Amino acid sequence: MQYLLQLDSRNRSNLTQDNGRSVYHLASSLKDVTSVELVQACIPHSMYTVSTPNNTFELTQGGSTVTVTLDPSIYTLTTLATEIQSKINVAAFTCSAGQTTTLKLLFSFTGAFSIRVPSEQLAAVFGLTRNTLHTSVGNALQSQFCCELSPPSISITSRALGSAYASGLGREVPPLYTVPIDVNAGAMITFNSQSHFIQKKRYQNPRNISEIDIVLRDAFGGVLNMNGLPYTLVLQVQCKSA
């Protein structure tokens, strides 16, 4: 027996929380579930390029280290460079989109300096390695690799539908479903199993499901803040025949 289940974040049980984490109480329990397939997903690309708590980095120059905090927002490479420079606010220190064709930042100063980014997510945005002290060469420092201004995909995790979580990570490994991000910020991310690929979770031992928890995560396991915009998932649930 098959059922189509639509999960709309506007109808979640935990409305006081951001819908990056959603809980749905089903009107009737699903008995002897053998598989759950992601048929369709409509998710707005409303996630910030830089978001709390992954919005700080350390700058060391002149023998002192300061923590720089960026405003959460959606950034292009140019606006990100402007934001970094304004928050550093040190005379003669510049940050520019020095390599726009290769999506790299260029930091410059009149003396030696170093930058360390503790957050894995922000380090990817900067094009640097997490928790590594990057020291200027010739009073300049450039991104090691392209700045990741948008995550490549959204991981959908669920304790109710998925398998066990990895201890200490707080997320499922691997994710229950993965939705590619193939649109710019502000557009709608759409996934369809017919036009994309099939993603089905099968259970060796059928289970009963009365509540479904859904968490949207980035590639590093962090919970995505959807900034209040709703999303929908359509699941095809297969149950044993009565």
Side-chain angles (χ1 to χ4, degrees), residues 35-56:
S35 69
V36 180
E37 178 183 348
L38 178 64
V39 176
Q40 186 176 358
C42 293
I43 304 173
H45 193 334
S46 57
M47 303 80 70
Y48 286 162
T49 311
V50 176
S51 59
T52 55
N54 304 305
N55 60 329
T56 64

Side-chain angles (χ1 to χ4, degrees), residues 57-72:
F57 67 96
E58 295 175 359
L59 172 68
T60 301
Q61 58 88 21
S64 63
T65 300
V66 296
T67 298
V68 181
T69 302
L70 304 180
D71 290 339

Side-chain angles (χ1 to χ4, degrees), residues 87-186:
K87 288 300 188 293
I88 289 177
N89 194 26
V90 173
F93 192 101
T94 62
C95 179
S96 62
Q99 298 288 333
T100 53
T101 55
T102 54
L103 290 176
K104 292 184 177 181
L105 293 170
L106 179 63
F107 304 87
S108 302
F109 190 48
T110 55
F113 66 93
S114 61
I115 290 176
R116 187 181 74 88
V117 188
S119 161
E120 192 172 17
Q121 191 270 344
L122 187 61
V125 172
F126 276 34
L128 298 174
T129 303
R130 174 183 178 266
N131 255 342
T132 298
L133 193 65
H134 297 277
T135 303
S136 61
V137 177
N139 300 337
L141 174 63
Q142 182 177 274
S143 302
Q144 291 178 302
F145 39 84
C146 293
C147 299
E148 190 175 287
L149 300 177
S150 172
S153 61
I154 293 175
S155 296
I156 300 175
T157 62
S158 172
R159 291 180 182 273
L161 302 181
S163 54
Y165 278 47
S167 176
L169 293 179
R171 60 182 169 123
E172 192 181 27
V173 181
L176 180 63
Y177 307 118
T178 299
V179 177
I181 298 179
D182 52 6
V183 298
N184 294 326

